Amino acid sequence: MERAVIQFKHDNNIELLRQRIKIYSSRVVIGRATDDSTFDWLTKGLVANYNELRHHMDSLIPETESFMKKLYFDLFRRHGITPIPYFLIQSCREDSIYNILSNMRRNRTLVFQEKMGVSRYTLIYWIKKINPYYNDIGKEYYQVVMDYLSLIKIE
């Protein structure tokens, strides 16, 4: 997350930053068909890695709650970036896809599986907002997902 903020300071690519924060702050589930009826499921992201924590949200120590609410604001402050990006302004005070605490409570999930999650059309739209020259011709949905995650540097 910090690398994304540092890169934003250098390239000022607000759309790339917005999509990275959206992904970093969510539970990402990727489905890959192994045959006609079976899938391999992969989960990524902060919410996925600390999934059990969502069952104990009322027991968080104040420092943990503050960290989850204000991580991005603290990173912007630490790296001297002003103003705060428009999409983050309300995120620490309300439920938002850009708020880790809110996403943890709601188990906010982005599902990348063609038949039940983010559509190919939407995925291409997201990619083209970052790279207008992206070409998906001849690519399976899973490869487009991998291209997207690579583009926003999700490992």
Side-chain angles (χ1 to χ4, degrees):
M1 288 184 246
E2 188 161 14
R3 284 190 301 234
V5 170
I6 291 168
Q7 183 177 350
F8 171 71
K9 183 175 183 175
H10 295 290
D11 66 17
N12 207 31
N13 187 333
I14 193 79
E15 183 59 29
L16 179 58
L17 177 71
R18 188 188 68 74
Q19 289 193 42
R20 283 178 170 165
I21 290 176
K22 176 181 67 174
I23 294 289
Y24 291 166
S25 299
S26 300
R27 178 175 174 249
V28 175
V29 177
I30 303 164
R32 181 177 185 183
T34 56
D35 58 44
D36 288 340
S37 61
T38 309
F39 288 93
D40 277 338
W41 295 100
L42 173 66
T43 59
K44 295 176 173 261
L46 193 68
V47 174
N49 289 336
Y50 296 97
N51 201 29
E52 288 300 312
L53 184 59
R54 71 186 173 93
H55 301 294
H56 306 284
M57 298 303 288
D58 294 333
S59 304
L60 293 178
I61 62 172
E63 291 83 3
T64 300
E65 188 169 335
S66 179
F67 169 80
M68 293 172 82
K69 278 184 183 177
K70 299 178 182 178
L71 171 64
Y72 300 118
F73 294 95
D74 292 344
L75 287 173
F76 283 104
R77 197 173 309 115
R78 182 180 316 144
H79 292 284
I81 300 171
T82 58
I84 297 294
Y86 70 93
F87 58 87
L88 285 175
I89 300 299
Q90 298 294 325
S91 69
C92 72
R93 294 189 294 274
E94 60 189 37
D95 284 343
S96 167
I97 193 169
Y98 308 109
N99 179 309
I100 297 169
L101 183 68
S102 167
N103 288 345
M104 186 75 72
R105 282 191 174 119
R106 297 179 298 147
N107 197 28
R108 172 82 164 131
T109 304
L110 291 170
V111 177
F112 291 101
Q113 197 284 325
E114 194 165 21
K115 294 180 181 167
M116 69 173 82
V118 175
S119 70
R120 183 184 186 100
Y121 175 83
T122 299
L123 186 55
I124 298 299
Y125 176 74
W126 290 353
I127 292 172
K128 291 206 174 211
K129 287 178 85 175
I130 299 169
N131 177 4
Y133 305 106
Y134 179 75
N135 184 349
D136 66 313
I137 295 173
K139 294 184 180 181
E140 297 288 325
Y141 178 83
Y142 180 79
Q143 183 57 54
V144 176
V145 170
M146 293 298 103
D147 290 350
Y148 175 64
L149 296 178
S150 177
L151 182 64
I152 60 175
K153 307 251 188 290
I154 300 292
E155 294 139 10

